[in-house]
Amino acid sequence: ASGSSSQSKLSSPVLKCYHNEVAPLIAVRHNGPRLGMKFYACGYWPKATCGFFSWVDDVNHIQDMQFQLLEKYTTITDLENKVKMLKEENENLKELLTEARIECNERRIMMECEVDDKRDTYALLLS
């Protein structure tokens, strides 16, 4: 039993308070029904606090929430990158479209000139 308790002390979770600082593990020291109970709190307490507080028993729930939050941030970052790539692709396609329109106009003008040249040639032959 002592091995498992020392292992749990070594692998105690690292929680961060709302200041994004490590929240230390603290034990209740005043006499009362909670004497010796452990909790995590803002590391700046008692001088200043962000309001972060969690009993050790609640840590799994908090870790799950922090993991979910991390997953959401990851998803948001991935989507922002995808949006950026799509915007770049959209700009590239706009440039290609502009170039294609220019080329189309140039070919149309060349074809009109060829038609005019053929008409002029026929007109000369007929006259």
Side-chain angles (χ1 to χ4, degrees):
S2 63
S4 63
S5 65
S6 65
Q7 186 177 6
S8 66
K9 288 179 184 177
L10 291 175
S11 64
S12 62
V14 176
L15 296 180
K16 292 192 175 188
C17 71
Y18 304 127
H19 291 109
N20 202 27
E21 300 284 335
V22 173
L25 181 61
I26 304 168
V28 175
R29 293 186 205 146
H30 65 274
N31 288 332
R34 296 191 176 187
L35 179 65
M37 289 183 69
K38 295 181 181 179
F39 62 92
Y40 292 91
C42 175
Y44 294 111
W45 181 84
K47 295 178 184 174
T49 183
C50 61
F52 180 82
F53 176 90
S54 177
W55 292 106
V56 169
D57 296 341
D58 297 334
V59 169
N60 287 338
H61 177 67
I62 290 172
Q63 284 179 317
D64 289 345
M65 300 284 278
Q66 286 178 335
F67 182 74
Q68 288 174 12
L69 187 61
L70 178 64
E71 282 183 325
K72 288 181 192 259
Y73 282 136
T74 302
T75 301
I76 288 169
T77 302
D78 290 346
L79 289 172
E80 286 173 341
N81 288 335
K82 192 171 187 176
V83 165
K84 183 180 177 183
M85 287 173 41
L86 288 171
K87 283 181 178 180
E88 288 174 4
E89 185 178 348
N90 187 32
E91 287 303 313
N92 291 339
L93 289 172
K94 283 181 181 179
E95 288 176 17
L96 287 172
L97 179 61
T98 300
E99 290 171 7
R101 284 181 176 159
I102 290 170
E103 186 177 337
C104 246
N105 284 336
E106 288 174 352
R107 288 186 182 200
R108 184 180 50 81
I109 291 169
M110 286 175 52
M111 288 173 60
E112 287 174 3
C113 288
E114 288 175 6
V115 169
D116 288 343
D117 286 346
K118 286 181 182 177
R119 282 188 196 147
D120 290 344
T121 304
Y122 287 132
L124 282 173
L125 287 173
L126 293 175
S127 60

